[in-house]
Amino acid sequence: MNFRNATMNDLDRICEIEQECFPVSEMASRKNLEWRIEHAYFLLLCQDETIVSFINGMPTNKSDLCDEMYDGEFFDENGQWLMIFGVNTPKEYQHQGYAQKVMKEVMHQFNGKGIVLTCKEHLIGFYEQFGYKNEGISKSTHGDVTWYQMRWEKS
């Protein structure tokens, strides 16, 4: 297993995994994923050359995740907060600890104030195991879904 940054050579497979993991109303477009690979934060966990999980987002100085961020608004490469947009694991690799590995790695790598993400209610406990605090219902209405904002502050 190894971690590496995504490249444009990975884009087709990343798009397939995004389609597998999110309904159409919530998934990132190919254009958004391309932008994230080129400009933002996109970490892959691979077994040999096979992507088994990935996490993506962007640094910003805004402290709360808002829908405009999914299109790159408020991006700041030196931002003190990392907004996580997705943690994706292809179905055949789920429930094997790979999402936990990418979560731990991003927490280890990020040197700012902390990390913010939104999740559905059934995933709150998953993120709490890493020290994320549930801040309640998010202002985000991405995909017309109720999201909960979770925050981890680096100590």
mmCIF file of all heavy atoms in Angstrom, residues 45-78:
data_model
loop_
_atom_site.group_PDB
_atom_site.id
_atom_site.type_symbol
_atom_site.label_atom_id
_atom_site.label_comp_id
_atom_site.label_asym_id
_atom_site.label_seq_id
_atom_site.Cartn_x
_atom_site.Cartn_y
_atom_site.Cartn_z
ATOM 1 N N LEU A 45 -4.861 6.298 -2.024
ATOM 2 C CA LEU A 45 -4.267 5.122 -1.407
ATOM 3 C C LEU A 45 -4.336 4.026 -2.455
ATOM 4 O O LEU A 45 -5.418 3.713 -2.971
ATOM 5 C CB LEU A 45 -5.024 4.709 -0.139
ATOM 6 C CG LEU A 45 -4.544 3.420 0.529
ATOM 7 C CD1 LEU A 45 -3.079 3.512 0.960
ATOM 8 C CD2 LEU A 45 -5.433 3.069 1.725
ATOM 9 N N CYS A 46 -3.172 3.477 -2.791
ATOM 10 C CA CYS A 46 -3.098 2.482 -3.863
ATOM 11 C C CYS A 46 -2.503 1.180 -3.369
ATOM 12 O O CYS A 46 -1.626 1.169 -2.499
ATOM 13 C CB CYS A 46 -2.241 3.010 -5.016
ATOM 14 S SG CYS A 46 -2.909 4.499 -5.772
ATOM 15 N N GLN A 47 -3.002 0.112 -3.952
ATOM 16 C CA GLN A 47 -2.424 -1.222 -3.755
ATOM 17 C C GLN A 47 -1.835 -1.571 -5.117
ATOM 18 O O GLN A 47 -2.582 -1.746 -6.082
ATOM 19 C CB GLN A 47 -3.514 -2.198 -3.340
ATOM 20 C CG GLN A 47 -3.018 -3.567 -3.000
ATOM 21 C CD GLN A 47 -4.170 -4.411 -2.452
ATOM 22 O OE1 GLN A 47 -5.287 -4.339 -2.930
ATOM 23 N NE2 GLN A 47 -3.866 -5.206 -1.451
ATOM 24 N N ASP A 48 -0.522 -1.588 -5.186
ATOM 25 C CA ASP A 48 0.173 -1.627 -6.469
ATOM 26 C C ASP A 48 -0.269 -0.381 -7.236
ATOM 27 O O ASP A 48 -0.092 0.704 -6.759
ATOM 28 C CB ASP A 48 -0.083 -2.935 -7.207
ATOM 29 C CG ASP A 48 0.406 -4.144 -6.413
ATOM 30 O OD1 ASP A 48 1.522 -4.066 -5.864
ATOM 31 O OD2 ASP A 48 -0.330 -5.131 -6.318
ATOM 32 N N GLU A 49 -0.904 -0.506 -8.379
ATOM 33 C CA GLU A 49 -1.377 0.662 -9.132
ATOM 34 C C GLU A 49 -2.894 0.858 -9.009
ATOM 35 O O GLU A 49 -3.445 1.776 -9.603
ATOM 36 C CB GLU A 49 -0.980 0.546 -10.606
ATOM 37 C CG GLU A 49 0.507 0.680 -10.837
ATOM 38 C CD GLU A 49 1.068 1.999 -10.327
ATOM 39 O OE1 GLU A 49 0.496 3.067 -10.619
ATOM 40 O OE2 GLU A 49 2.091 1.957 -9.608
ATOM 41 N N THR A 50 -3.546 0.021 -8.221
ATOM 42 C CA THR A 50 -4.997 0.078 -8.084
ATOM 43 C C THR A 50 -5.400 1.045 -6.980
ATOM 44 O O THR A 50 -4.922 0.942 -5.848
ATOM 45 C CB THR A 50 -5.553 -1.324 -7.751
ATOM 46 O OG1 THR A 50 -5.159 -2.222 -8.785
ATOM 47 C CG2 THR A 50 -7.053 -1.309 -7.626
ATOM 48 N N ILE A 51 -6.281 1.990 -7.306
ATOM 49 C CA ILE A 51 -6.792 2.937 -6.304
ATOM 50 C C ILE A 51 -7.793 2.204 -5.420
ATOM 51 O O ILE A 51 -8.811 1.699 -5.903
ATOM 52 C CB ILE A 51 -7.475 4.144 -6.976
ATOM 53 C CG1 ILE A 51 -6.495 4.899 -7.876
ATOM 54 C CG2 ILE A 51 -8.066 5.079 -5.911
ATOM 55 C CD1 ILE A 51 -7.146 5.957 -8.765
ATOM 56 N N VAL A 52 -7.512 2.136 -4.117
ATOM 57 C CA VAL A 52 -8.418 1.472 -3.185
ATOM 58 C C VAL A 52 -9.191 2.467 -2.324
ATOM 59 O O VAL A 52 -10.189 2.106 -1.696
ATOM 60 C CB VAL A 52 -7.690 0.429 -2.302
ATOM 61 C CG1 VAL A 52 -7.096 -0.687 -3.167
ATOM 62 C CG2 VAL A 52 -6.634 1.060 -1.432
ATOM 63 N N SER A 53 -8.757 3.723 -2.287
ATOM 64 C CA SER A 53 -9.476 4.775 -1.579
ATOM 65 C C SER A 53 -8.840 6.110 -1.928
ATOM 66 O O SER A 53 -7.673 6.156 -2.332
ATOM 67 C CB SER A 53 -9.431 4.546 -0.061
ATOM 68 O OG SER A 53 -10.354 5.377 0.616
ATOM 69 N N PHE A 54 -9.615 7.191 -1.780
ATOM 70 C CA PHE A 54 -9.031 8.518 -1.953
ATOM 71 C C PHE A 54 -9.797 9.549 -1.147
ATOM 72 O O PHE A 54 -10.923 9.314 -0.711
ATOM 73 C CB PHE A 54 -8.905 8.930 -3.417
ATOM 74 C CG PHE A 54 -10.182 9.125 -4.193
ATOM 75 C CD1 PHE A 54 -10.963 10.266 -4.035
ATOM 76 C CD2 PHE A 54 -10.572 8.192 -5.131
ATOM 77 C CE1 PHE A 54 -12.111 10.465 -4.777
ATOM 78 C CE2 PHE A 54 -11.718 8.381 -5.896
ATOM 79 C CZ PHE A 54 -12.495 9.519 -5.712
ATOM 80 N N ILE A 55 -9.140 10.669 -0.932
ATOM 81 C CA ILE A 55 -9.729 11.796 -0.212
ATOM 82 C C ILE A 55 -9.347 13.057 -0.974
ATOM 83 O O ILE A 55 -8.245 13.161 -1.497
ATOM 84 C CB ILE A 55 -9.235 11.825 1.260
ATOM 85 C CG1 ILE A 55 -10.015 12.823 2.093
ATOM 86 C CG2 ILE A 55 -7.746 12.066 1.334
ATOM 87 C CD1 ILE A 55 -9.787 12.644 3.608
ATOM 88 N N ASN A 56 -10.299 13.994 -1.060
ATOM 89 C CA ASN A 56 -10.000 15.229 -1.772
ATOM 90 C C ASN A 56 -10.692 16.410 -1.105
ATOM 91 O O ASN A 56 -11.689 16.249 -0.415
ATOM 92 C CB ASN A 56 -10.380 15.118 -3.249
ATOM 93 C CG ASN A 56 -11.866 15.062 -3.480
ATOM 94 O OD1 ASN A 56 -12.509 16.086 -3.681
ATOM 95 N ND2 ASN A 56 -12.438 13.865 -3.455
ATOM 96 N N GLY A 57 -10.115 17.572 -1.306
ATOM 97 C CA GLY A 57 -10.660 18.793 -0.734
ATOM 98 C C GLY A 57 -9.780 19.962 -1.109
ATOM 99 O O GLY A 57 -8.984 19.874 -2.040
ATOM 100 N N MET A 58 -9.927 21.048 -0.364
ATOM 101 C CA MET A 58 -9.121 22.227 -0.677
ATOM 102 C C MET A 58 -8.824 23.028 0.577
ATOM 103 O O MET A 58 -9.633 23.086 1.498
ATOM 104 C CB MET A 58 -9.798 23.105 -1.708
ATOM 105 C CG MET A 58 -10.998 23.835 -1.202
ATOM 106 S SD MET A 58 -11.510 25.096 -2.382
ATOM 107 C CE MET A 58 -12.292 26.239 -1.260
ATOM 108 N N PRO A 59 -7.652 23.670 0.592
ATOM 109 C CA PRO A 59 -7.319 24.565 1.692
ATOM 110 C C PRO A 59 -7.998 25.927 1.487
ATOM 111 O O PRO A 59 -8.185 26.373 0.348
ATOM 112 C CB PRO A 59 -5.803 24.685 1.616
ATOM 113 C CG PRO A 59 -5.468 24.391 0.194
ATOM 114 C CD PRO A 59 -6.530 23.466 -0.319
ATOM 115 N N THR A 60 -8.361 26.555 2.565
ATOM 116 C CA THR A 60 -9.012 27.859 2.552
ATOM 117 C C THR A 60 -8.785 28.531 3.898
ATOM 118 O O THR A 60 -8.383 27.874 4.861
ATOM 119 C CB THR A 60 -10.527 27.715 2.269
ATOM 120 O OG1 THR A 60 -11.125 29.008 2.202
ATOM 121 C CG2 THR A 60 -11.229 26.898 3.338
ATOM 122 N N ASN A 61 -9.063 29.802 3.959
ATOM 123 C CA ASN A 61 -9.034 30.495 5.251
ATOM 124 C C ASN A 61 -10.430 30.674 5.823
ATOM 125 O O ASN A 61 -10.585 31.211 6.915
ATOM 126 C CB ASN A 61 -8.299 31.830 5.138
ATOM 127 C CG ASN A 61 -6.799 31.604 5.174
ATOM 128 O OD1 ASN A 61 -6.280 30.862 6.005
ATOM 129 N ND2 ASN A 61 -6.088 32.211 4.240
ATOM 130 N N LYS A 62 -11.451 30.220 5.116
ATOM 131 C CA LYS A 62 -12.812 30.189 5.659
ATOM 132 C C LYS A 62 -12.891 29.008 6.612
ATOM 133 O O LYS A 62 -12.349 27.945 6.341
ATOM 134 C CB LYS A 62 -13.844 30.034 4.545
ATOM 135 C CG LYS A 62 -13.838 31.153 3.531
ATOM 136 C CD LYS A 62 -14.529 32.368 4.094
ATOM 137 C CE LYS A 62 -14.650 33.449 3.040
ATOM 138 N NZ LYS A 62 -15.208 34.676 3.546
ATOM 139 N N SER A 63 -13.579 29.175 7.713
ATOM 140 C CA SER A 63 -13.595 28.108 8.723
ATOM 141 C C SER A 63 -14.807 27.189 8.643
ATOM 142 O O SER A 63 -14.874 26.202 9.381
ATOM 143 C CB SER A 63 -13.507 28.720 10.124
ATOM 144 O OG SER A 63 -14.598 29.585 10.356
ATOM 145 N N ASP A 64 -15.770 27.490 7.784
ATOM 146 C CA ASP A 64 -16.944 26.634 7.624
ATOM 147 C C ASP A 64 -17.105 26.263 6.165
ATOM 148 O O ASP A 64 -16.902 27.083 5.270
ATOM 149 C CB ASP A 64 -18.214 27.350 8.103
ATOM 150 C CG ASP A 64 -18.225 27.565 9.602
ATOM 151 O OD1 ASP A 64 -17.906 26.613 10.342
ATOM 152 O OD2 ASP A 64 -18.553 28.685 10.035
ATOM 153 N N LEU A 65 -17.508 25.026 5.910
ATOM 154 C CA LEU A 65 -17.702 24.556 4.547
ATOM 155 C C LEU A 65 -19.006 25.111 3.988
ATOM 156 O O LEU A 65 -20.038 25.057 4.646
ATOM 157 C CB LEU A 65 -17.728 23.027 4.527
ATOM 158 C CG LEU A 65 -17.517 22.373 3.172
ATOM 159 C CD1 LEU A 65 -16.832 21.031 3.345
ATOM 160 C CD2 LEU A 65 -18.797 22.199 2.416
ATOM 161 N N CYS A 66 -18.940 25.665 2.792
ATOM 162 C CA CYS A 66 -20.136 26.167 2.115
ATOM 163 C C CYS A 66 -20.167 25.606 0.693
ATOM 164 O O CYS A 66 -19.148 25.176 0.152
ATOM 165 C CB CYS A 66 -20.183 27.694 2.115
ATOM 166 S SG CYS A 66 -18.855 28.500 1.199
ATOM 167 N N ASP A 67 -21.338 25.615 0.085
ATOM 168 C CA ASP A 67 -21.519 24.996 -1.225
ATOM 169 C C ASP A 67 -20.640 25.602 -2.308
ATOM 170 O O ASP A 67 -20.218 24.898 -3.229
ATOM 171 C CB ASP A 67 -22.988 25.071 -1.643
ATOM 172 C CG ASP A 67 -23.862 24.149 -0.796
ATOM 173 O OD1 ASP A 67 -23.324 23.220 -0.169
ATOM 174 O OD2 ASP A 67 -25.086 24.363 -0.785
ATOM 175 N N GLU A 68 -20.341 26.896 -2.223
ATOM 176 C CA GLU A 68 -19.515 27.546 -3.244
ATOM 177 C C GLU A 68 -18.112 26.941 -3.324
ATOM 178 O O GLU A 68 -17.454 27.011 -4.356
ATOM 179 C CB GLU A 68 -19.409 29.052 -2.975
ATOM 180 C CG GLU A 68 -20.711 29.808 -3.110
ATOM 181 C CD GLU A 68 -21.611 29.732 -1.882
ATOM 182 O OE1 GLU A 68 -21.195 29.174 -0.837
ATOM 183 O OE2 GLU A 68 -22.749 30.209 -1.969
ATOM 184 N N MET A 69 -17.673 26.332 -2.244
ATOM 185 C CA MET A 69 -16.327 25.745 -2.223
ATOM 186 C C MET A 69 -16.192 24.561 -3.166
ATOM 187 O O MET A 69 -15.108 24.287 -3.669
ATOM 188 C CB MET A 69 -15.960 25.334 -0.797
ATOM 189 C CG MET A 69 -15.750 26.503 0.111
ATOM 190 S SD MET A 69 -15.396 25.946 1.796
ATOM 191 C CE MET A 69 -15.157 27.526 2.594
ATOM 192 N N TYR A 70 -17.291 23.862 -3.436
ATOM 193 C CA TYR A 70 -17.222 22.703 -4.326
ATOM 194 C C TYR A 70 -16.784 23.100 -5.731
ATOM 195 O O TYR A 70 -16.307 22.283 -6.491
ATOM 196 C CB TYR A 70 -18.564 21.965 -4.370
ATOM 197 C CG TYR A 70 -18.888 21.268 -3.069
ATOM 198 C CD1 TYR A 70 -19.854 21.778 -2.208
ATOM 199 C CD2 TYR A 70 -18.219 20.111 -2.696
ATOM 200 C CE1 TYR A 70 -20.155 21.143 -1.013
ATOM 201 C CE2 TYR A 70 -18.501 19.466 -1.499
ATOM 202 C CZ TYR A 70 -19.482 19.991 -0.663
ATOM 203 O OH TYR A 70 -19.754 19.365 0.527
ATOM 204 N N ASP A 71 -16.955 24.368 -6.072
ATOM 205 C CA ASP A 71 -16.521 24.885 -7.366
ATOM 206 C C ASP A 71 -15.197 25.638 -7.277
ATOM 207 O O ASP A 71 -14.810 26.336 -8.204
ATOM 208 C CB ASP A 71 -17.596 25.810 -7.954
ATOM 209 C CG ASP A 71 -18.858 25.049 -8.314
ATOM 210 O OD1 ASP A 71 -18.751 23.904 -8.789
ATOM 211 O OD2 ASP A 71 -19.950 25.606 -8.103
ATOM 212 N N GLY A 72 -14.505 25.534 -6.144
ATOM 213 C CA GLY A 72 -13.192 26.151 -5.998
ATOM 214 C C GLY A 72 -13.189 27.545 -5.413
ATOM 215 O O GLY A 72 -12.114 28.120 -5.203
ATOM 216 N N GLU A 73 -14.371 28.092 -5.122
ATOM 217 C CA GLU A 73 -14.420 29.435 -4.540
ATOM 218 C C GLU A 73 -13.805 29.396 -3.134
ATOM 219 O O GLU A 73 -13.987 28.427 -2.404
ATOM 220 C CB GLU A 73 -15.871 29.924 -4.473
ATOM 221 C CG GLU A 73 -15.980 31.417 -4.295
ATOM 222 C CD GLU A 73 -17.392 31.923 -4.511
ATOM 223 O OE1 GLU A 73 -18.079 31.423 -5.425
ATOM 224 O OE2 GLU A 73 -17.788 32.817 -3.762
ATOM 225 N N PHE A 74 -13.087 30.426 -2.777
ATOM 226 C CA PHE A 74 -12.403 30.595 -1.485
ATOM 227 C C PHE A 74 -11.139 29.741 -1.360
ATOM 228 O O PHE A 74 -10.571 29.606 -0.285
ATOM 229 C CB PHE A 74 -13.332 30.347 -0.287
ATOM 230 C CG PHE A 74 -14.591 31.143 -0.313
ATOM 231 C CD1 PHE A 74 -15.830 30.523 -0.418
ATOM 232 C CD2 PHE A 74 -14.553 32.528 -0.236
ATOM 233 C CE1 PHE A 74 -17.001 31.262 -0.450
ATOM 234 C CE2 PHE A 74 -15.716 33.277 -0.267
ATOM 235 C CZ PHE A 74 -16.946 32.639 -0.377
ATOM 236 N N PHE A 75 -10.687 29.145 -2.467
ATOM 237 C CA PHE A 75 -9.445 28.373 -2.456
ATOM 238 C C PHE A 75 -8.277 29.290 -2.097
ATOM 239 O O PHE A 75 -8.154 30.390 -2.606
ATOM 240 C CB PHE A 75 -9.198 27.752 -3.835
ATOM 241 C CG PHE A 75 -7.834 27.134 -3.996
ATOM 242 C CD1 PHE A 75 -7.522 25.941 -3.383
ATOM 243 C CD2 PHE A 75 -6.863 27.761 -4.757
ATOM 244 C CE1 PHE A 75 -6.258 25.370 -3.531
ATOM 245 C CE2 PHE A 75 -5.609 27.200 -4.922
ATOM 246 C CZ PHE A 75 -5.307 25.997 -4.305
ATOM 247 N N ASP A 76 -7.424 28.797 -1.210
ATOM 248 C CA ASP A 76 -6.198 29.505 -0.839
ATOM 249 C C ASP A 76 -5.158 28.433 -0.558
ATOM 250 O O ASP A 76 -5.280 27.693 0.427
ATOM 251 C CB ASP A 76 -6.429 30.377 0.393
ATOM 252 C CG ASP A 76 -5.193 31.169 0.815
ATOM 253 O OD1 ASP A 76 -4.055 30.774 0.458
ATOM 254 O OD2 ASP A 76 -5.358 32.170 1.522
ATOM 255 N N GLU A 77 -4.157 28.336 -1.413
ATOM 256 C CA GLU A 77 -3.177 27.245 -1.257
ATOM 257 C C GLU A 77 -2.473 27.273 0.088
ATOM 258 O O GLU A 77 -1.950 26.260 0.539
ATOM 259 C CB GLU A 77 -2.173 27.241 -2.397
ATOM 260 C CG GLU A 77 -1.245 28.429 -2.431
ATOM 261 C CD GLU A 77 -0.304 28.374 -3.619
ATOM 262 O OE1 GLU A 77 -0.743 28.007 -4.720
ATOM 263 O OE2 GLU A 77 0.874 28.711 -3.437
ATOM 264 N N ASN A 78 -2.479 28.430 0.764
ATOM 265 C CA ASN A 78 -1.888 28.537 2.098
ATOM 266 C C ASN A 78 -2.940 28.597 3.193
ATOM 267 O O ASN A 78 -2.647 28.991 4.318
ATOM 268 C CB ASN A 78 -0.990 29.772 2.168
ATOM 269 C CG ASN A 78 0.157 29.678 1.188
ATOM 270 O OD1 ASN A 78 0.851 28.683 1.122
ATOM 271 N ND2 ASN A 78 0.325 30.725 0.386
#
